[in-house]
Amino acid sequence: MAYLKSLIASALLLSTATAHFQLISPPALPGNADDQGTAPCGGGKPDLSQNTATDFHVDGQHVQLFLGHAQGTWLIRATLDDKAAGNWTQVFPIFQQSGRGNFCEPAVTLPQEWVGKKGFIGLNSNAGDGVLYQCAAVNFVSGSSPAPGNAACNNGSAVSASFVPDADLSALVSSTSDTPSTPTSSGSPPASSTPGSAASSLLAGGLPFASFIATGAMLLVGAALL
Ligand SMILES: *[C@@H]1O[C@H](CO)[C@@H](O)[C@H](O)[C@H]1NC(C)=O
Ligand SMILES: *[C@@H]1O[C@H](CO)[C@@H](O)[C@H](O)[C@H]1NC(C)=O
Ligand SMILES: [Cu+2]
């Protein structure tokens, strides 16, 4: 019993000592992980006159991220503001990841009108320790970029995802552009709450109820022992 107790205690310590989350691609602005709670970019200092920007294809490019918690909710947003000071647009439906590890969305799309401009892609997590922030400085370029191979775009083996509402994350955007690329017929309302084509394929990945139950049970066992 004592052994089990210390095993669980060290597992809990380990999980608080490792990174909350990381925007891996496009590469996040450098910054201290302890400052990830600071808006708008965590420890990163957003300034297009100083930052190194990488190309981001508006018709679809992968976003690779890492979650250090067992479960968390994600927002991907973008802005043309040169200091990331505001005017954030939501560019992918808010989703929940279950399972610690990598997640890669193969094709995040942005507004066509952004081609030729610079700005930021922002990634926000809400995983039980407040809303956290990271950003990447990017050049918005035309066309799409096929998702790279498994080494650069992968999901952790125990990771699953589903679309969920998250009011804390929704509050961080002023507009949405997460609509399918094919225009809908005139007169239909904007699809702000309806998942787009990317959304449907994400959902097709399966619902994570089994892992919810497993995680909950492990937490209960841990709490009883401590
Ligand atoms: C947001 O966009 C509006 C309209 O383009 C502009 O007037 C405003 O200054 C922008 N705000 C920020 C913080 O960039
Ligand atoms: C990761 O999982 C999501 C949700 O199931 C899926 O849409 C996406 O294509 C997966 N990414 C990779 C690289 O397989
Ligand atoms: Cu955390």
Side-chain angles (χ1 to χ4, degrees):
M1 189 62 130
Y3 167 75
L4 244 187
K5 259 189 185 178
S6 73
L7 192 73
I8 288 164
S10 51
L12 289 175
L13 269 180
L14 186 71
S15 65
T16 54
T18 51
H20 303 280
F21 84 109
Q22 180 69 34
L23 173 58
I24 299 169
S25 182
L29 296 173
N32 191 329
D34 292 343
D35 299 331
Q36 285 185 342
T38 307
C41 294
K45 304 266 180 300
D47 182 350
L48 288 180
S49 68
Q50 307 280 327
N51 301 148
T52 304
T54 59
D55 286 353
F56 197 94
H57 295 77
V58 300
D59 290 341
Q61 183 164 324
H62 75 287
V63 170
Q64 169 92 64
L65 54 85
F66 166 81
L67 176 66
H69 291 258
Q71 187 174 302
T73 309
W74 295 108
L75 167 70
I76 306 174
R77 59 180 186 164
T79 182
L80 298 173
D81 189 86
D82 63 354
K83 299 258 170 51
N87 284 340
W88 289 99
T89 299
Q90 181 179 332
V91 296
F92 193 76
I94 291 172
F95 66 98
Q96 182 175 69
Q97 173 177 341
S98 292
R100 182 180 184 277
N102 284 356
F103 183 91
C104 184
E105 167 46 44
V108 171
T109 59
L110 284 110
Q112 287 282 341
E113 311 83 73
W114 291 22
V115 169
K117 297 174 178 167
K118 282 183 151 205
F120 296 93
I121 306 252
L123 177 69
N124 301 98
S125 89
N126 192 7
D129 48 5
V131 171
L132 302 177
Y133 301 81
Q134 279 200 323
C135 307
V138 294
N139 305 305
F140 296 106
V141 298
S142 64
S144 61
S145 162
N150 193 49
C153 179
N154 55 68
N155 289 344
S157 54
V159 165
S160 59
S162 61
F163 291 104
V164 297
D166 186 312
D168 294 335
L169 293 180
S170 296
L172 301 179
V173 292
S174 42
S175 62
T176 59
S177 77
D178 61 332
T179 47
S181 44
T182 20
T184 49
S185 56
S186 60
S188 50
S192 59
S193 59
T194 317
S197 51
S200 319
S201 60
L202 179 84
L203 275 177
L207 291 167
F209 291 122
S211 60
F212 284 168
I213 291 161
T215 307
M218 277 164 62
L219 285 176
L220 283 177
V221 168
L225 285 169
L226 281 174

